[in-house]
Amino acid sequence: MALSMPPTSTTTTATIRLPDAGLPPAAEALRGEVREFLRAERERGTVQGTSDAWLAGFDAGFSGRLGDRGWLGMTWPRRYGGHEQPSLHRFVVIEELLAAGAPVVAHWVTDRQSGPALLRYGTEEQRERLLPEMARGRSFFAIGMSEPDSGSDLASVRTTARRDGAGWRLNGTKVWTSQAHHCDYMITLCRTSPRDDSARHDGLSQFIVDLRSPGLTVSPIRLLDGEHHFNEVLLEDVFVGDDMVLGEIGSGWRQVTSELAFERSGPERFLSTLPLLVALLRVAEPDDRRQAVAIGQLVAQLWTLRRLSVQIAAALDRGEAPDVAAALVKDLGTTLENEIIDVARSVAPVEPSGTAADPFARELARAVLHAPGFTLRGGTNEVLRGIVARGLGLR
């Protein structure tokens, strides 16, 4: 299997060839279709091939075209607009999209975890109403988990939901809410009963919140380069009807932790800076042994993580919940993403200027500015290592 980026006006094609990951032939056959689609999208100018595009590249039209091809909601039942394809087929599609640096953020959360959460915990009415538009790439969801002062400790959330007639009143603040300023809904984790320090995971529930609701305010949290992807979402007496409760009241912790397996295990956790690695290959000196060794080590790590991520996709196909393995992929993956930046800065034969005339320098500058978020989104490395340690019986 090869991950490649097209040439720019000043570069040649660079290719990273990885050993076969054991994907079924039907899944690999799909790869050619995706690459042809991406070639056409590059010609129309929608695919720029930049790092961290799965966070930064919002293009609702692009997501809609993926939906029209049946590449969203691929594993979902057909009666809800899905296509009943194996998870490994979906893996091929998202791997190619990520390798190309395609603008996938509009549908990313929706397809990756909000849809599966609705399939697992939603009511029949919720599924019939929400899933078909999600699979078409016309309805987008955000994640309402993190809060100020909570970090990765979801059990410490303070946003509350109190009973009010035929629904609930939500009050609190969510942060790092990706693309909430563009999305239609946010699945929000709240406290529906007072916190008990002896049972911190009890009393949590999830709600499907319409982001156009009265009392809801979305404010930007900008990156170092001024880009707007993250948000603070303030909820002030926002009403959510009983028909938009996700799952069971009081079961929010169990639901949200199962959802995180989807969030942490995908190839986006180690491919965010692949465009930078490919850009480095384009400018590297072929006879410089130090560069060859450094780049070779990165590619070896990339292959290992890809193998693990494929195995998790297969486990999800079998109905398993590989929480520990997913945490491991996220920890090692975001570590690799930062290592790619470090190697690019240390062995690159050019001085990064960040100018449009220097594609490598521009890509390096972008990756550096996005890097602080790598280990935050989806849980910090320290928390993830704690999950792995508990899973291995070490704590």
Side-chain angles (χ1 to χ4, degrees):
M1 181 263 176
L3 297 176
S4 62
M5 298 283 285
T8 67
S9 59
T10 58
T11 67
T12 58
T13 301
T15 301
I16 299 173
R17 296 196 175 276
L18 301 178
D20 179 53
L23 293 171
E28 288 293 359
L30 180 59
R31 195 180 299 278
E33 296 180 37
V34 181
R35 289 183 176 179
E36 180 59 27
F37 167 80
L38 288 169
R39 184 196 61 76
E41 289 293 325
R42 288 190 192 97
E43 290 181 355
R44 68 191 298 170
T46 56
V47 175
Q48 302 297 321
T50 57
S51 292
D52 219 24
W54 72 270
L55 172 78
F58 190 99
D59 186 333
F62 181 85
S63 295
R65 290 190 291 279
L66 289 176
D68 292 342
R69 284 180 167 265
W71 292 342
L72 301 181
M74 290 182 68
T75 64
W76 307 352
R78 287 191 176 88
R79 67 181 181 276
Y80 302 129
H83 305 281
E84 297 184 4
Q85 295 294 311
S87 293
L88 292 175
H89 285 61
R90 178 181 178 274
F91 184 95
V92 166
V93 172
I94 63 175
E95 184 176 55
E96 288 297 324
L97 293 172
L98 292 167
V104 297
V105 71
H107 69 265
W108 198 255
V109 167
T110 311
D111 181 70
R112 180 185 68 184
Q113 68 196 86
S114 299
L118 279 165
L119 283 169
R120 187 167 184 177
Y121 301 113
T123 64
E124 189 63 19
E125 190 276 333
Q126 289 170 352
R127 294 171 186 153
E128 291 177 351
R129 176 153 59 101
L130 299 171
L131 287 171
E133 288 299 287
M134 296 163 76
R136 292 181 63 238
R138 269 71 177 183
S139 179
F140 308 121
F141 275 59
I143 303 169
M145 292 187 193
S146 298
E147 296 189 2
D149 305 319
S150 290
S152 295
D153 182 13
L154 287 179
S156 68
V157 299
R158 294 176 294 188
T159 296
T160 60
R162 58 177 175 81
R163 169 61 76 181
D164 183 4
W168 302 79
R169 292 285 175 184
L170 276 56
N171 285 276
T173 303
K174 296 295 179 179
V175 292
W176 312 119
T177 314
S178 299
Q179 305 298 333
H181 55 304
H182 289 309
C183 289
D184 302 294
Y185 298 96
M186 176 177 71
I187 296 181
T188 308
L189 183 66
C190 301
R191 286 216 160 272
T192 45
S193 61
R195 173 174 164 174
D196 179 353
D197 287 337
S198 65
R200 298 172 67 245
H201 300 146
D202 294 347
L204 294 167
S205 307
Q206 287 183 296
F207 298 85
I208 305 168
V209 178
D210 188 328
L211 286 167
R212 296 154 295 192
S213 299
L216 189 149
T217 304
V218 178
S219 303
I221 301 175
R222 298 191 181 275
L223 300 185
L224 291 174
D225 59 0
E227 291 184 21
H228 176 197
H229 314 300
F230 293 122
N231 297 277
E232 175 189 80
V233 179
L234 177 64
L235 302 110
E236 298 177 292
D237 273 345
V238 173
F239 182 79
V240 178
D242 283 331
D243 61 333
M244 296 296 265
V245 173
L246 179 61
E248 300 177 2
I249 293 296
S251 296
W253 180 259
R254 174 177 56 84
Q255 294 173 194
V256 81
T257 51
S258 66
E259 182 180 333
L260 287 170
F262 292 96
E263 180 176 351
R264 291 170 172 165
S265 64
E268 72 272 20
R269 295 307 180 186
F270 52 89
L271 292 181
S272 295
T273 51
L274 179 69
L276 174 60
L277 178 57
V278 175
L280 175 60
L281 287 173
R282 289 173 175 155
V283 300
E285 295 290 344
D287 298 325
D288 187 320
R289 186 177 184 280
R290 183 174 68 98
Q291 292 186 26
V293 169
I295 293 171
Q297 290 174 339
L298 294 175
V299 173
Q301 292 180 65
L302 177 63
W303 177 79
T304 301
L305 281 165
R306 180 172 181 258
R307 288 281 298 180
L308 182 55
S309 188
V310 167
Q311 290 170 3
I312 293 173
L316 292 171
D317 260 348
R318 296 191 296 268
E320 300 172 11
D323 300 343
V324 174
L328 186 62
V329 166
K330 203 278 180 182
D331 176 20
L332 296 177
T334 53
T335 299
L336 172 62
E337 289 173 339
N338 280 288
E339 286 180 0
I340 290 173
I341 296 172
D342 292 341
V343 170
R345 298 175 79 172
S346 66
V347 307
V350 296
E351 189 67 28
S353 62
T355 65
D358 185 347
F360 169 74
R362 184 177 65 247
E363 197 56 42
L364 175 56
R366 176 183 175 83
V368 167
L369 291 173
H370 280 244
F374 292 169
T375 60
L376 294 176
R377 57 200 189 202
T380 64
N381 287 10
E382 292 78 10
V383 168
L384 294 169
R385 289 166 190 171
I387 292 171
V388 173
R390 282 194 298 272
L392 295 175
L394 301 177
R395 56 178 293 187

